[in-house]
Amino acid sequence: MEAPVRKDRPSLFVLAKENVMKRKLHIPDQWKVRAFWLESGQAYLYLLPAFIILAVFTFYPFFSAFRLSLYKWSAIRPPGTYIGLTNYAKIFADRHFWNAVWNTFYYVAISVPVTLFLALLVANLLNKPLRMRTFARTSFFLAYITPLVAVAMVWSWMYDWRYGVLNYLLGFLGIDLINWLMDPRFAMLAVIIMSVWRFVGYQAIILLAGLQNIDKMYYDAAKVDGASGFRVWWNVTIPLLTPQIFFVFIMSMIGSFKVFTEIYVLFSGQPGPLKSAETLVFYILRIGRFDGNLLGRAAAASIFLFGVIFAFTLIQLFVTQRKVHYQ
Amino acid sequence: MLRKGILLGLIGLMLIGFGVFAQEPVTIEFWHSMSSGHQPYLVELVDKFMEEYPYITVNLTYQGGYGDTEDKVEASVVAGNPPTMVQLYENVITPLVEVLYPIGPQMTAEEKADILDGLVENNTFDGVLVSVPWNKSIMVLFYRSDLIDTPPTTWEEFATMAADLTVDIDGDGLIDRYGTGLRPYNPELFLNYLIQNGGTILNEDWSAVTIGDQAGVEAMQYAESLVPYSYISSGYLSDAVGSDLVAMFVDTSAGYYYNNKAAVDNGFELSVARVPAGPVNNKSAIQGTNLVVFDMGQTQAQKDAAVLLARFLIRPENTVAWSLRGGYLPVVKSAYEEQAWLDYLVENPEYIVMSEAMVDGFAQILHPNYGLMRGTIGGAFEEVILGASTAVDAMANLVLDLTDLLDD
């Protein structure tokens, strides 16, 4: 027996078709104005150079790296032989890869919050009406603009286990000599200390700009309410500084996941004793360039790194979206 | 009849003359990694070549360090436009062999036979001499002759002497001078031990890793036994010898200038000896690059010109000139009988030892992944020297890591 069909109601297909027709017919008024098209065209024209640069130097390399990660590289017949996901399987089975992943997370987990915390303190200090404030601001920023090679050279002297100033100072506290650059337990810590020192000034300047943008009326209101110094800082300064804190946090996290130069210079081109300071970027360059030309594997590792950074950035965006206050 | 013959003869001579002297001008690109220290000597040699072959112009271009040059060569191959001639390490040559113009078949039998035996093998691919050796150095033993009268000649002697020379001079409980020095990441030193103990990295057809065999494990255990008597530093040991921290160490002959200067500047005497012999032989690791000619869009005239340049650079008198001024060692046998080299040996007797070592040295294997293999071997050596792993465990892991690289 055939199922009864209700005749008083049009079928879904008819409804959908009508809907599409209606939508097709709906043309926004602004589209009918010639000036709109001229203005939009002009805007896209201005964006074109940036888009070309992004396309050539960001999008194309990204897709190219992804494609490369599926091949066994050959310079003579690039990109080589298609091997599917073998490169991913190889790196996931490589203990040096996981060592690099661990080192990278270790570096990020310590250097990002420590740098941000110190930068907040420094920014607050620099925001106070101190003597020689401009000199102090410049001094903190100097660490960032000094060439990294020079910075690493000086730090490698300071880290020297026999004659370095760091061990000399630790000696006053009764701490035994630490072989900073040769002891695998301290090598990554040495990189972190140097990086924190280098980036505190840069982050402090950005946070300082944020601090100076906070309207004085919030502080006046807090004063009227009888809030203490710490209360004002915690309940007024920090919430209104969240856009800058968020920016600095995201940027420094992305930068930290890609740390390489500091290690390369501090350990004279090596990934630290027993690869104790080998990060993902170092690993990628070591297998793809320094020690060999396994570009397929290197590309697979770089896609993995992209995924990690992307995931963390999304999480941060999601978590901090509710915490960031715009004035 | 006679006139006619003379006339024909003259015409023939003229044609030959035109053939020789009226060569079409040809320009070749030569990419190298010889920085400011060595570059002037290379320029001199190439200028001399261009005087001899006036129709050839050589554009010498410094491309940065070896790694930079390798990157640029790879990029140029991908783009289908490599230079005519480059200096490269063996493992970089391997994956490029099919786009190279073999130099060997263009050389005379005498020229080929003159190349040092240890260097022929690592420039030969599928039985053909594809590239020629160029800037080469060798591992030797540097020792403080103000502390050591007779340098050690065997592993046992070296270990005993290293222990004896490790001293606490001021009696504060800390060692002031070590018998020897070790750089933790030093694959060549381990390979020296391996080869001297009769071991190999891979089997003959590269189908299996053999480094973990008894010979390899023993070689690593020997290195492990030296650790208590070794000053361990990631930096060059010239600093250590200048600071009176080590009495002897194995290093490349290319470091002679720096090691000797550090010692002499601080009032010590430094001498050179062969690397102490292992249970099987006393071979030393040869290091350095080779010359290749590309066959990827180059004209026949360019390839011929580049081959001429390669042959010119390894002529006995030229490899001697390059070695005298560049600090390397000659790459052909007859160079060691050149008067200029013999005179140099009289003034610099330490080069006698280096020359002897060079003649029966061994070079790196040609596997395309040798670069990564070398790094992995260096990593295993480092684990042992820094006490993070025993020799046995490090070798077991090394075999797994190298096996992974075999088929990639």
Side-chain angles (χ1 to χ4, degrees):
Chain A
M1 204 175 125
E2 233 177 89
V5 178
R6 288 181 62 164
K7 300 284 180 194
D8 55 333
R9 198 174 162 190
S11 72
L12 278 176
F13 175 74
V14 173
L15 279 173
K17 198 178 170 188
E18 276 175 9
N19 204 17
V20 168
M21 290 302 285
K22 268 187 211 164
R23 280 191 184 177
K24 266 192 179 169
L25 288 173
H26 176 73
I27 297 168
D29 293 340
Q30 56 193 12
W31 289 14
K32 296 167 190 164
V33 185
R34 193 166 169 257
F36 168 78
W37 290 106
L38 277 174
E39 219 170 274
S40 300
Q42 214 173 13
Y44 282 115
L45 204 64
Y46 291 142
L47 283 174
L48 193 63
F51 179 75
I52 291 172
I53 290 170
L54 271 175
V56 172
F57 295 107
T58 305
F59 302 139
Y60 173 72
F62 172 74
F63 289 112
S64 180
F66 179 70
R67 181 169 169 247
L68 199 56
S69 73
L70 305 175
Y71 285 81
K72 182 179 173 185
W73 169 252
S74 160
I76 296 171
R77 279 174 283 278
T81 318
Y82 179 78
I83 52 169
L85 297 174
T86 309
N87 284 322
Y88 291 90
K90 291 261 185 187
I91 59 163
F92 292 149
D94 183 358
R95 65 193 169 100
H96 300 302
F97 171 77
W98 292 111
N99 171 58
V101 171
W102 163 254
N103 288 337
T104 308
F105 276 90
Y106 175 60
Y107 177 86
V108 173
I110 296 181
S111 75
V112 173
V114 170
T115 312
L116 186 58
F117 176 71
L118 291 176
L120 261 175
L121 292 182
V122 171
N124 270 286
L125 270 176
L126 294 178
N127 201 29
K128 301 256 184 264
L130 300 168
R131 264 199 215 169
M132 298 173 74
R133 194 167 60 167
T134 315
F135 174 74
R137 285 177 186 174
T138 315
S139 306
F140 274 105
F141 202 63
L142 262 181
Y144 179 68
I145 57 169
T146 307
L148 188 53
V149 174
V151 167
M153 189 75 83
V154 172
W155 275 94
S156 64
W157 290 336
M158 285 165 49
Y159 282 136
D160 188 283
W161 73 284
R162 276 179 177 250
Y163 311 111
V165 69
L166 217 59
N167 275 350
Y168 177 73
L169 294 175
L170 291 174
F172 287 120
L173 303 172
I175 297 172
D176 280 344
L177 295 177
I178 295 174
N179 201 343
W180 291 95
L181 301 180
M182 282 297 293
D183 189 331
R185 292 170 302 166
F186 294 99
M188 186 51 103
L189 198 59
V191 179
I192 291 171
I193 293 171
M194 189 181 84
S195 299
V196 168
W197 172 84
R198 186 160 180 259
F199 285 104
V200 158
Y202 166 72
Q203 293 189 7
I205 293 293
I206 293 173
L207 295 174
L208 181 63
L211 280 175
Q212 290 174 344
N213 262 343
I214 297 174
D215 203 318
K216 203 170 167 289
M217 71 173 181
Y218 295 110
Y219 293 109
D220 293 340
K223 235 182 217 174
V224 170
D225 289 345
S228 66
F230 178 75
R231 273 259 167 237
V232 171
W233 187 74
W234 186 250
N235 289 336
V236 177
T237 308
I238 293 293
L240 292 176
L241 200 58
T242 42
Q244 285 75 26
I245 293 175
F246 177 59
F247 169 77
V248 164
F249 191 58
I250 291 257
M251 296 313 286
S252 93
M253 196 207 65
I254 293 173
S256 298
F257 269 118
K258 297 192 290 186
V259 64
F260 164 74
T261 319
E262 287 85 345
I263 299 158
Y264 185 80
V265 181
L266 201 56
F267 297 100
S268 312
Q270 294 299 318
L274 300 174
K275 298 189 175 64
S276 55
E278 180 164 85
T279 54
L280 265 171
V281 174
F282 205 113
Y283 173 85
I284 290 165
L285 280 160
R286 184 170 63 78
I287 63 169
R289 182 182 182 272
F290 302 148
D291 285 355
N293 61 346
L294 300 181
L295 292 192
R297 279 201 207 185
S302 65
I303 295 297
F304 174 86
L305 177 61
F306 166 80
V308 168
I309 296 177
F310 190 65
F312 268 82
T313 310
L314 281 184
I315 292 168
Q316 279 184 339
L317 275 170
F318 181 73
V319 171
T320 51
Q321 219 165 23
R322 298 170 197 178
K323 302 281 179 191
V324 176
H325 299 268
Y326 295 96
Q327 286 183 69
Chain B
M1 189 69 192
L2 185 66
R3 275 187 192 173
K4 202 175 171 185
I6 290 171
L7 193 65
L8 281 173
L10 281 172
I11 290 168
L13 277 174
M14 278 173 71
L15 285 174
I16 292 168
F18 277 123
V20 171
F21 298 112
Q23 290 265 21
E24 282 289 315
V26 57
T27 301
I28 58 170
E29 298 290 326
F30 179 9
W31 288 6
H32 66 92
S33 301
M34 299 287 98
S35 56
S36 54
H38 293 96
Q39 202 168 353
Y41 313 132
L42 178 59
V43 171
E44 267 180 39
L45 277 172
V46 170
D47 284 347
K48 199 173 137 195
F49 170 77
M50 288 193 288
E51 272 174 33
E52 195 172 317
Y53 299 94
Y55 66 97
I56 300 174
T57 304
V58 181
N59 287 335
L60 263 181
T61 325
Y62 172 64
Q63 298 292 342
Y66 293 125
D68 297 321
T69 305
E70 286 164 20
D71 279 354
K72 290 175 188 177
V73 166
E74 186 148 319
S76 70
V77 169
V78 173
N81 186 27
T84 325
M85 191 161 157
V86 192
Q87 67 170 131
L88 290 173
Y89 275 106
E90 292 85 339
N91 65 297
V92 185
I93 297 174
T94 309
L96 299 175
V97 163
E98 63 179 286
V99 290
L100 296 179
Y101 186 66
I103 299 173
Q106 324 301 323
M107 296 168 72
T108 64
E110 292 76 29
E111 280 175 326
K112 280 192 274 189
D114 201 21
I115 296 174
L116 291 177
D117 296 337
L119 298 173
V120 173
E121 199 181 329
N122 70 322
N123 282 286
T124 302
F125 298 79
D126 288 331
V128 180
L129 186 74
V130 172
S131 46
V132 291
W134 188 35
N135 63 331
K136 296 289 178 182
S137 59
I138 188 96
M139 299 282 269
V140 286
L141 174 72
F142 290 90
Y143 68 97
R144 285 263 305 270
S145 38
D146 52 321
L147 296 172
I148 299 166
D149 291 329
T150 310
T153 55
T154 63
W155 282 14
E156 290 74 23
E157 283 178 23
F158 183 86
T160 308
M161 203 175 272
D164 292 345
L165 289 165
T166 300
V167 286
D168 170 13
I169 298 168
D170 54 15
D172 65 352
L174 292 172
I175 294 167
D176 296 299
R177 188 194 304 120
Y178 289 85
T180 188
L182 286 173
R183 297 181 72 192
Y185 181 84
N186 194 345
E188 275 68 37
L189 183 56
F190 173 70
L191 289 176
N192 231 79
Y193 294 142
L194 178 76
I195 302 295
Q196 289 190 343
N197 202 31
T200 52
I201 303 173
L202 306 174
N203 63 354
E204 284 210 355
D205 62 358
W206 295 345
S207 60
V209 175
T210 51
I211 202 168
D213 294 354
Q214 188 64 23
V217 174
E218 282 173 7
M220 193 62 98
Q221 282 170 331
Y222 176 67
E224 193 177 29
S225 74
L226 296 175
V227 171
Y229 317 114
S230 300
Y231 175 76
I232 294 167
S233 167
S234 59
Y236 288 112
L237 291 168
S238 53
D239 292 340
V241 78
S243 307
D244 196 17
L245 288 168
V246 293
M248 57 180 178
F249 58 98
V250 175
D251 196 6
T252 166
S253 60
Y256 173 73
Y257 171 80
Y258 305 99
N259 294 334
N260 191 49
K261 187 175 186 310
V264 171
D265 285 354
N266 290 284
F268 312 129
E269 287 170 26
L270 197 74
S271 293
V272 178
R274 291 287 295 266
V275 173
V280 175
N281 61 53
N282 67 342
K283 286 179 181 292
S284 293
I286 298 173
Q287 297 173 59
T289 64
N290 315 284
L291 298 171
V292 298
V293 175
F294 272 97
D295 187 7
M296 208 178 184
Q298 286 74 15
T299 63
Q300 190 57 47
Q302 284 177 317
K303 288 181 281 189
D304 291 342
V307 167
L308 276 177
L309 177 57
R311 290 167 66 190
F312 174 88
L313 288 173
I314 64 165
R315 274 187 204 164
E317 67 275 21
N318 293 332
T319 185
V320 165
W322 177 234
S323 302
L324 294 184
R325 308 188 65 184
Y328 298 108
L329 290 162
V331 294
V332 295
K333 294 167 197 163
S334 57
Y336 290 88
E337 287 153 22
E338 283 279 311
Q339 195 54 48
W341 183 251
L342 295 173
D343 292 344
Y344 185 69
L345 293 185
V346 173
E347 287 167 29
N348 304 277
E350 61 281 351
Y351 273 82
I352 296 173
V353 169
M354 297 180 199
S355 305
E356 287 169 2
M358 189 72 184
V359 172
D360 57 2
F362 69 91
Q364 63 170 245
I365 60 170
L366 299 170
H367 194 280
N369 272 348
Y370 178 73
L372 265 171
M373 289 181 179
R374 176 184 174 273
T376 309
I377 292 167
F381 189 68
E382 187 183 31
E383 283 177 18
V384 173
I385 300 305
L386 294 182
S389 184
T390 63
V392 174
D393 290 347
M395 292 306 286
N397 282 330
L398 180 59
V399 171
L400 293 176
D401 288 344
L402 293 186
T403 305
D404 176 46
L405 292 172
L406 259 190
D407 58 345
D408 217 328

